[in-house]
Amino acid sequence: MSNIKYPIDSPHSFSKEEISKELSTDFEKGLSESEVSERQNLFGKNNIEQKKKKHPVLIFLSQFASPMVYMLLVAAGLSFFFKEWLEGYAILLVILINALIGFFMEYQAERSMEALKKMTQVNAKVIRDSKLIEIPSSEIVPGDILFLEAGDMILADARIFNTSQAQADESALTGESMPVEKEEKNLEKDTSLAERVNMLYKGTFLTKGNVKALVSGTGMQTEFGKIASMVEAADQSVTPLEKKLQEFSKKLIMITIALVVIIFITGLLSGDKVLELLETSIALAVAAIPEGLAIVATLALAQGMMKMAKHNVLVKKLEAVETLGGTNIICTDKTGTLTQNIIEVSTIATGEGTMEIKLNPSARKMEIISKDNFSESKSFQLIKQIAVLCNTAELAINNNELKEVGDPLETGLLKFAYCNQIDIIPYRNQFPKIKEEPFSSETRIMATLHKADSKSFVAAKGAVEELIKCCSSILEKEEVKTFDEALKTKWKNDSEKFSAAGWRIIAMAYKDADESTTDLTSNLVFVGLTGMLDPLREEVFAAIQECKSAGIKVVMITGDHPATAKNIAMKLGLLESENEIVIHGKEMNDYENLSSEEKKRWTAAKVFARVSPKQKLDLVAVLQEDKSVVGMTGDGVNDAPALKKSDIGIAMGLRGTQVAQEVADMILKDDSFTSIVIAIKQGRIIFENIRKFVVFLLSCNISELLIVFVASVFNFHFSLFALQILYINLVTDVLPALALGVTEGSDSIMKQPPRNSNEPIIDRQRWKSIFVYSTVMAACTLGAALFAHSTMHTSKAWNPELCNNILFITLILCQLWHVLNMTTDNSKSFFKSDVFRNKYVWYATVICLVITIGAYFVPPVAKVLSLIPPSWQDLSIMFGFSLLSLVINQILKRTKIIL
């Protein structure tokens, strides 16, 4: 350890042996645990220093930077100017309390986002103590051996020492848009960054092939880290919802200013006192401002994201939560999303016949359940050999438990070999790999060249129709024969039958070769087929039916054979008739050449088979052109463009490549389709809750506006004071609005059609509802004061103080009961609605009532709010008229006059 030299200057100029010596690492064994621990202590974690978190003091100060606060400050300034000291200080106190509430909520939201970021951290595959293991990327140390495959993010700078047709996308670092071919050769010290073909750099990703590389730089010692230290991270942009709320608040302020000016001018012309007019104007200004609006919206989004995380959905962007509610098409992969991703070999077909088998990996046994048994034949031995050697996955045994690392299809093949008593690592050591042509979505074939004593051979596997094209011979009854067109057609037909029965079919082939062979996929000898089953997830059928009732179309996109795809789609209820079309990838023209009829055919189809990543991208474009909001699942590096293009990119957390996860809007930790449906449901609930509290806050505030406006226009001897309005806004607005933000949602939320993405938060129907709610509450509040005077206090002259108190308390009660009007499903009884069943609404109501009653018993507060103890008769009027507003609004809701 004492010989290690780090950091290394120009690692690309070192030979493999030199850099291995510099970093004191063994290429085969990697580092030991003790070496790793020592290097972590010396060189720290493999992290890029993030932009410093926003200091709590700055979070607090930012609460004052809003037009609404500026307007309140103007109101406070006017109060001080006219020597209304108490009112001025009270307004400042309210601004302070509001800022504290905002600070607490934003701080909580930031903590929630930090927790989500930790959940989305990626892992790296490294060789330590001769074993391939997965570790968190932050645990990588200089000298580690990285193993990377196509689709993996490169998580540290590393010198390549073993590569197989590898290409890397380094556009994020160099700006070069084309993938760079990677080689092992030595380079000159002055080679430019973009030309260092023997290096991998943090922040880029592998697009093809696989490599082994020695870590030469971690954390801030990487090229990415050096750039990051010079660049200040950009501020996060606001979400579309926040923009809508900001624009909405500005419009509200402009309307308020216009109202204030009208009342002020009207009052002056009527001969009213300037001071009284200013007080009324201040009261109007305060009444119009929904102080908690932006705060509650942000918290609702952040809390919604945390809630989704508990359901195995990691949402990376706030705006994705908004888009989820409007999604009307889900394009989903089959493997692992609709199925369990437990792929096992269940059928072997060779020239000897067809043998059905059942594997028991825990007991390491294979049971033959068919009449045919050719387990001792040469073809079966070759299939076992190809399953292990033409494979990049790993199968480790820890405490008698199998740990799978790699693609589920490949680990399924390894389990087949394992159950046939093949020890994976020793077997691979017996036939070392010389060369590899990795699987790609273009060729759909993988081939590897291996050394075996005095000769070498090629092992190949892939899609049936593609691999058969590469075969000129076939192994039948222990003999190699010519593979003519008639035989090829027979095997293709057999494959079709297996696929129609639901099996995933992989073809296998081999050929003898020498070490200098360059073309691994020509003149192969066809060996046979392996049929693999991946059981359907039990809960998916119900989830698809829920999507149908919610107006969401589910489209299955798979690389499988069309017959396999159709079989699965029928079982899941995606297709209801055998006559429904399955579009084959070979039928799909490029987007630029599509006719309108072809586009219509694409938009009508529910199943696409043998689809390439480019065709996925084209499909998204066609669906979006049809005004659909598209959610697209993906797991491979080539899926990244389609994920990015879609409205909601959904990456797989278990089998998804790191590149796919990087560009996606959300990640499914369990890869399950049901989780997508849960996320859409939560997205709908969150948006509906935001609507609820916006409607609630606005109707409460406009009711205050109407009361002040009516009292001013009709020259009543009583009205609400600015301080009372501020108190009401703090007590009866914020807490119930927060409670609405966590409503569970109605049972009918997934029986409604998707929301139009261009639909505003408050549409015309909701504006109508807001004004009706406000008018009813204002009328009942004013009615309580007028009724009390005309019935209970007829012998007395107008008592402005008493009438003011009746207005004040009645309005508080009206607004507290009003939260129960915010239910969205009017088909259910009042007592079974989602809001009525929300315990937080009742907590908020009780707290608000306690605070209101408590105000009478705290002399300074009672004095500031001009409170006087009410009589029992006055209390009964307050409660009666406040409940009357609830009854009237409920009748209007039930008769569908308002929402």
Side-chain angles (χ1 to χ4, degrees):
M1 182 64 193
S2 57
N3 295 328
I4 185 171
K5 295 178 182 178
Y6 184 80
I8 294 178
D9 180 40
S10 305
H12 59 276
S13 64
F14 287 71
S15 67
K16 295 186 291 186
E17 294 73 23
E18 287 171 341
I19 200 161
S20 170
K21 185 178 179 182
E22 293 286 305
L23 290 167
S24 189
T25 302
D26 185 291
F27 282 134
E28 297 299 322
K29 296 179 180 178
L31 299 174
S32 66
E33 283 304 312
S34 60
E35 286 174 318
V36 169
S37 178
E38 192 172 349
R39 293 183 192 208
Q40 281 178 346
N41 291 332
L42 278 173
F43 309 124
K45 297 279 188 183
N46 177 36
N47 291 328
I48 299 295
E49 291 176 13
Q50 299 290 322
K51 180 185 176 183
K52 286 185 179 179
K53 292 179 187 175
K54 198 174 180 181
H55 194 278
V57 173
L58 291 176
I59 294 175
F60 176 69
L61 291 175
S62 68
Q63 306 307 313
F64 298 97
S66 82
M68 294 182 177
V69 173
Y70 300 152
M71 198 162 176
L72 286 175
L73 286 171
V74 170
L78 287 170
S79 297
F80 288 132
F81 181 77
F82 289 101
K83 298 185 179 179
E84 294 288 337
W85 308 109
L86 190 60
E87 196 166 280
Y89 284 124
I91 292 173
L92 290 179
L93 179 63
V94 166
I95 292 172
L96 179 62
I97 292 169
N98 200 57
L100 288 169
I101 294 169
F103 164 75
F104 174 74
M105 291 182 182
E106 187 174 334
Y107 187 67
Q108 285 294 102
E110 285 210 355
R111 288 181 63 185
S112 298
M113 295 303 293
E114 284 296 319
L116 283 169
K117 282 180 184 176
K118 288 178 183 176
M119 291 181 194
T120 56
Q121 286 180 353
V122 295
N123 288 343
K125 292 191 277 282
V126 298
I127 296 172
R128 288 180 180 173
D129 289 323
S130 302
K131 295 176 184 174
L132 181 66
I133 61 171
E134 282 195 9
I135 61 167
S137 61
S138 59
E139 303 296 321
I140 297 172
V141 296
D144 258 327
I145 305 294
L146 289 179
F147 174 68
L148 298 117
E149 298 175 284
D152 284 348
M153 289 293 295
I154 298 164
L155 303 165
D157 288 2
R159 169 68 163 88
I160 296 168
F161 66 85
N162 186 296
T163 178
S164 177
Q165 295 187 339
Q167 291 182 353
D169 184 329
E170 297 182 344
S171 56
L173 191 64
T174 65
E176 174 57 53
S177 58
M178 296 300 293
V180 179
E181 291 278 354
K182 291 298 176 180
E183 303 175 38
E184 302 167 25
K185 66 181 182 182
N186 300 343
L187 298 171
E188 296 296 324
K189 189 172 183 178
D190 60 356
T191 305
S192 67
L193 184 67
E195 295 175 334
R196 295 174 192 170
V197 293
N198 64 0
M199 292 292 297
L200 299 175
Y201 290 109
K202 183 179 176 73
T204 63
F205 63 90
L206 215 62
T207 59
K208 183 181 176 184
N210 54 60
V211 298
K212 288 181 181 176
L214 183 61
V215 173
S216 58
T218 59
M220 298 306 288
Q221 293 298 326
T222 62
E223 293 294 332
F224 189 80
K226 292 169 188 174
I227 294 171
S229 65
M230 297 185 287
V231 180
E232 185 77 8
D235 291 333
Q236 184 178 351
S237 60
V238 294
T239 68
L241 177 67
E242 289 172 315
K243 286 178 183 175
K244 287 178 185 175
L245 290 175
Q246 287 172 4
E247 290 167 7
F248 179 76
S249 299
K250 287 174 184 176
K251 286 179 183 177
L252 196 60
I253 289 172
M254 296 306 293
I255 293 168
T256 305
I257 292 170
L259 274 174
V260 168
V261 170
I262 291 168
I263 291 173
F264 193 82
I265 293 171
T266 305
L268 282 177
L269 294 173
S270 303
D272 294 340
K273 293 178 182 178
V274 174
L275 182 58
E276 289 178 1
L277 286 171
L278 282 170
E279 286 180 346
T280 302
S281 300
I282 291 168
L284 278 169
V286 170
I289 300 170
E291 287 89 352
L293 191 61
I295 298 167
V296 180
T298 303
L299 189 69
L301 287 172
Q303 289 298 320
M305 290 170 75
M306 288 302 294
K307 196 169 186 178
M308 284 192 222
K310 292 177 183 176
H311 290 286
N312 296 312
V313 179
L314 300 181
V315 181
K316 295 167 62 183
K317 301 169 185 174
L318 277 174
E319 57 264 35
V321 179
E322 303 165 45
T323 311
L324 274 169
T327 303
N328 56 9
I329 292 184
I330 303 172
C331 296
T332 177
D333 191 10
K334 175 185 73 71
T335 305
T337 309
L338 302 176
T339 63
Q340 295 179 27
N341 209 27
I342 306 172
I343 301 176
E344 288 188 353
V345 177
S346 58
T347 299
I348 303 291
T350 70
E352 309 288 334
T354 301
M355 184 167 70
E356 292 186 25
I357 60 175
K358 186 175 182 180
L359 303 179
N360 184 351
S362 58
R364 202 175 181 181
K365 289 182 179 178
M366 182 187 80
E367 181 185 351
I368 299 168
I369 57 176
S370 63
K371 291 181 181 178
D372 284 347
N373 182 349
F374 48 85
S375 57
E376 300 301 321
S377 68
K378 181 181 177 181
S379 60
F380 189 76
Q381 303 309 314
L382 278 169
I383 283 196
K384 289 191 296 182
Q385 187 175 53
I386 295 165
V388 176
L389 300 180
C390 189
N391 194 320
T392 58
E394 296 284 341
L395 198 66
I397 306 168
N398 291 323
N399 300 322
N400 293 323
E401 287 188 10
L402 293 178
K403 185 178 179 183
E404 302 171 23
V405 179
D407 182 87
L409 185 144
E410 294 204 322
T411 56
L413 290 172
L414 291 184
K415 283 186 284 185
F416 160 69
Y418 176 76
C419 288
N420 278 279
Q421 310 307 311
I422 292 179
D423 294 317
I424 309 300
I425 294 174
Y427 194 80
R428 285 176 171 172
N429 290 338
Q430 184 182 345
F431 303 102
K433 183 163 58 177
I434 303 167
K435 190 180 291 184
E436 177 183 334
E437 286 189 16
F439 178 88
S440 74
S441 56
E442 287 77 30
T443 64
R444 306 185 65 80
I445 295 171
M446 177 183 178
T448 50
L449 177 64
H450 298 269
K451 188 174 182 179
D453 298 327
S454 58
K455 61 177 183 176
S456 299
F457 68 93
V458 171
K461 73 175 192 294
V464 178
E465 59 268 37
E466 300 301 331
L467 194 67
I468 281 179
K469 292 176 188 175
C470 302
C471 296
S472 56
S473 307
I474 182 171
L475 181 66
E476 259 190 358
K477 305 288 184 183
E478 309 291 314
E479 293 181 26
V480 176
K481 300 178 181 178
T482 301
F483 201 19
D484 59 30
E485 288 303 317
L487 266 178
K488 287 183 178 182
T489 302
K490 174 194 173 296
W491 277 99
K492 285 179 186 177
N493 291 338
D494 288 346
S495 171
E496 290 270 357
K497 291 175 186 175
F498 286 129
S499 296
W503 274 294
R504 187 170 186 177
I505 305 300
I506 303 295
M508 293 190 169
Y510 80 102
K511 72 174 177 178
D512 293 327
D514 56 54
E515 290 186 33
S516 61
T517 300
T518 55
D519 184 359
L520 305 188
T521 56
S522 64
N523 297 316
L524 294 171
V525 179
F526 185 79
V527 179
L529 308 174
T530 57
M532 308 180 82
L533 281 179
D534 185 5
L536 297 176
R537 291 181 183 264
E538 293 178 5
E539 72 278 8
V540 168
F541 182 84
I544 288 173
Q545 297 309 308
E546 189 174 14
C547 283
K548 287 181 178 180
S549 66
I552 300 168
K553 179 182 175 182
V554 180
V555 176
M556 186 173 85
I557 304 174
T558 177
D560 282 351
H561 191 282
T564 306
K566 188 169 221 177
N567 177 279
I568 298 296
M570 292 291 292
K571 287 179 181 177
L572 289 171
L574 270 177
L575 297 180
E576 296 170 2
S577 164
E578 285 282 353
N579 298 324
E580 290 189 71
I581 61 168
V582 174
I583 295 183
H584 194 297
K586 67 184 180 184
E587 304 170 28
M588 299 172 74
N589 290 323
D590 288 342
Y591 177 75
E592 298 78 15
N593 302 321
L594 281 175
S595 66
S596 58
E597 286 303 314
E598 284 175 307
K599 288 181 180 179
K600 284 180 183 177
R601 190 165 178 262
W602 285 24
T603 55
K606 297 175 187 173
V607 181
F608 293 79
R610 289 287 195 247
V611 175
S612 72
K614 170 66 167 63
Q615 290 167 334
K616 272 190 179 184
L617 182 63
D618 289 347
L619 178 60
V620 172
V622 169
L623 294 173
Q624 288 177 332
E625 191 179 299
D626 197 44
K627 307 300 180 187
S628 295
V629 179
V630 183
M632 169 67 77
T633 68
D635 53 13
V637 59
N638 290 328
D639 291 332
L643 290 175
K644 202 167 184 177
K645 170 75 174 168
S646 64
D647 299 283
I648 289 285
I650 306 164
M652 303 297 111
L654 294 176
R655 60 190 169 85
T657 59
Q658 292 161 354
V659 178
Q661 293 175 11
E662 187 70 19
V663 301
D665 300 296
M666 59 187 252
I667 299 170
L668 303 182
K669 288 166 67 180
D670 60 356
D671 289 8
S672 172
F673 178 81
T674 310
S675 296
I676 303 174
V677 181
I678 289 170
I680 289 174
K681 183 178 181 179
Q682 284 301 317
R684 289 187 175 193
I685 290 171
I686 289 165
F687 192 84
E688 197 57 49
N689 286 346
I690 289 171
R691 268 187 161 164
K692 281 177 184 174
F693 64 65
V694 171
V695 170
F696 173 75
L697 287 171
L698 285 180
S699 48
C700 286
N701 284 49
I702 291 174
S703 69
E704 296 159 14
L705 259 176
L706 288 172
I707 290 168
V708 176
F709 183 77
V710 171
S712 174
V713 169
F714 288 94
N715 204 22
F716 288 159
H717 292 80
F718 57 87
S719 186
L720 291 170
F721 306 142
L723 292 181
Q724 290 176 328
I725 293 170
L726 283 169
Y727 185 85
I728 290 171
N729 286 359
L730 276 177
V731 171
T732 62
D733 282 8
V734 176
L735 289 178
L738 280 171
L740 285 173
V742 292
T743 303
E744 290 293 330
S746 69
D747 297 335
S748 64
I749 196 83
M750 289 297 280
K751 294 175 183 175
Q752 301 165 11
R755 174 180 56 84
N756 188 322
S757 57
N758 296 320
E759 187 180 321
I761 300 170
I762 306 298
D763 54 22
R764 185 173 294 180
Q765 186 64 27
R766 283 177 176 80
W767 272 119
K768 175 187 169 184
S769 301
I770 288 168
F771 282 113
V772 172
Y773 285 139
S774 305
T775 303
V776 170
M777 285 192 288
C780 288
T781 302
L782 287 165
L786 294 169
F787 182 81
H789 175 74
S790 61
T791 58
M792 309 298 296
H793 307 286
T794 54
S795 60
K796 301 176 184 178
W798 280 100
N799 183 342
E801 194 174 33
L802 176 62
C803 289
N804 167 269
N805 272 234
I806 292 173
L807 274 183
F808 179 59
I809 300 301
T810 306
L811 184 58
I812 285 177
L813 293 173
C814 280
Q815 293 186 359
L816 287 178
W817 309 148
H818 177 49
V819 75
L820 299 173
N821 291 320
M822 294 300 103
T823 180
T824 50
D825 187 0
N826 294 328
S827 63
K828 288 202 166 188
S829 75
F830 175 75
F831 301 103
K832 291 183 179 179
S833 69
D834 53 341
V835 176
F836 195 90
R837 290 183 284 113
N838 182 353
K839 62 182 179 180
Y840 298 106
V841 163
W842 292 105
Y843 294 159
T845 303
V846 170
I847 291 169
C848 290
L849 285 172
V850 168
I851 292 171
T852 302
I853 295 166
Y856 281 92
F857 298 95
V858 182
V861 177
K863 184 180 178 182
V864 166
L865 296 175
S866 305
L867 297 179
I868 57 172
S871 66
W872 286 109
Q873 294 94 330
D874 292 332
L875 276 174
S876 63
I877 290 171
M878 295 173 197
F879 271 95
F881 272 82
S882 65
L883 288 171
L884 178 63
S885 74
L886 176 63
V887 171
I888 293 171
N889 280 326
Q890 278 295 310
I891 291 170
L892 293 172
K893 278 179 74 73
R894 300 288 164 175
T895 53
K896 298 184 179 179
I897 294 171
I898 56 176
L899 292 177

